[in-house]
Amino acid sequence: MYKDLEGNTAIITGASSGIGRAMALRFGREKMNVVINYRSGKQEVNSIVQEIEQSGGQAIGVYGDVTREEDVKKLVAAAHEHFGSLDVMVNNAGIENEVPSEDLTLEDWRKVLDVNLTGAFLGCREAIDYMLEHGIKGRIINVSSVHEMIPWPHFVHYAASKGGIKMMTETLALEFAPKGIRVNSLGPGAIDTPINAAKFSDPAAKASVEALIPLGYIGKPEEIAAAAAWLASSESSYVTGITLFADGGMTKYPAFQGGHG
Ligand code: NAI
């Protein structure tokens, strides 16, 4: 637990499930105020709010589509109205779909870039604008992926969106460091969440993913939430512009394990 996070206010986008949900619950245990953005899963959000309140934090659920400018503005306004501040912005909402690149429609390309990259940009812009206006040395966490680094055939739109997140994070980190605003990315490896539900329900597909992970297992959402809490806290005060990979070693060329190559 990080004492300095107590009473801080965070927005987490796409937080009704998976990694976002785990981050919301973790921030609740840190006794933070959490704006839980969701596009679907209202019931789930209600139970996350309850759990956060039971663990000593405060929370509200706010519906919104991160690709819509006015919805993202509403998230920041909700943080201000309900909790009087915005200290931590987590741009987590993301989607993917598998399509061989020669068949990828412009519509699918745009949809993924819109949610994963433009949505995160809007979150960064609105949060930074608020933090500058209120003199807050805030923290921005963009949820990227190992695929900002590892090419991923059949997911060119997803990989391009996460590669874009990397440069956006680095650029904003440089731009706003003089104001004390830290901007970092968090790069999960293969994590057990709804985005992977179909794949991991097939034992062969699951085993083929596990073979790519030096630590040997699919990560838990709570392990990503722990990394997010550290990035949000002052324990990472000298860290800006990085991608913190929480990936069980997936980005470390596992094919070379055992001296191959
Ligand atoms: P998830 O599918 O449970 O979470 C994604 C969330 O984003 C969902 O709650 C969904 O409703 C929300 N969302 C989608 N479009 C939205 C929009 N337009 N506006 C607001 N919310 C929207 O999957 P997961 O795994 O928790 O994904 C969270 C983030 O982690 C994503 O950015 C994903 O790319 C990233 N990630 C996940 C990995 C994994 O293995 N699960 C690996 C690397 C990155």
Side-chain angles (χ1 to χ4, degrees), residues 13-236:
T13 65
S16 61
S17 62
I19 290 169
R21 174 181 179 277
M23 291 192 293
L25 293 173
R26 171 65 191 244
F27 284 4
R29 287 202 302 282
E30 300 285 354
K31 302 194 176 5
M32 294 173 71
N33 310 314
V34 191
V35 175
I36 301 167
N37 159 249
Y38 66 98
R39 200 188 52 170
S40 59
K42 192 168 184 341
Q43 295 285 83
E44 187 55 41
V45 170
N46 292 341
S47 83
I48 298 169
V49 168
Q50 267 186 1
E51 208 175 312
I52 288 175
E53 286 172 353
Q54 280 157 12
S55 58
Q58 296 186 69
I60 49 162
V62 180
Y63 172 85
D65 179 337
V66 296
T67 68
R68 294 168 57 90
E69 206 166 13
E70 59 274 30
D71 286 11
V72 179
K73 285 178 188 288
K74 275 185 203 153
L75 295 180
V76 176
H80 181 72
E81 277 159 29
H82 288 264
F83 304 121
S85 187
L86 174 59
D87 307 287
V88 178
M89 177 79 204
V90 184
N91 294 301
N92 166 74
I95 55 171
E96 65 180 46
N97 67 319
E98 179 173 6
V99 190
S101 299
E102 71 275 22
D103 296 328
L104 182 63
T105 62
L106 181 57
E107 191 189 355
D108 265 3
W109 169 271
R110 282 191 172 137
K111 209 187 284 177
V112 169
L113 268 289
D114 238 25
V115 176
N116 296 10
L117 184 56
T118 306
F121 163 69
L122 290 173
C124 287
R125 189 193 67 189
E126 290 306 312
I128 289 169
D129 188 42
Y130 180 90
M131 289 166 183
L132 290 175
E133 192 187 333
H134 293 82
I136 296 168
K137 294 187 191 318
R139 286 78 69 200
I140 313 277
I141 301 169
N142 295 318
V143 179
S144 177
S145 164
V146 291
H147 296 297
E148 70 164 50
M149 182 177 164
I150 303 175
W152 202 15
H154 296 192
F155 292 86
V156 66
H157 45 350
Y158 183 82
S161 73
K162 298 301 188 180
I165 291 267
K166 171 182 155 62
M167 258 302 145
M168 183 175 75
T169 292
E170 292 179 11
T171 300
L172 295 175
L174 196 56
E175 194 167 341
F176 296 103
K179 299 291 182 189
I181 298 173
R182 296 192 290 116
V183 187
N184 291 295
S185 287
L186 182 47
I191 311 301
D192 190 11
T193 71
I195 223 172
N196 289 319
K199 197 185 326 176
F200 295 162
S201 64
D202 170 4
K206 188 175 177 207
S208 76
V209 175
E210 283 165 347
L212 298 172
I213 308 168
L215 282 182
Y217 69 95
I218 308 287
K220 297 183 208 60
E222 293 73 21
E223 293 179 290
I224 306 304
W230 181 75
L231 281 177
S233 80
S234 62
E235 288 293 297
S236 62

Side-chain angles (χ1 to χ4, degrees), residues 231-255:
L231 281 177
S233 80
S234 62
E235 288 293 297
S236 62
S237 53
Y238 209 47
V239 176
T240 196
I242 67 155
T243 297
L244 172 55
F245 288 111
D247 66 350
M250 197 181 225
T251 44
K252 299 298 165 286
Y253 302 94

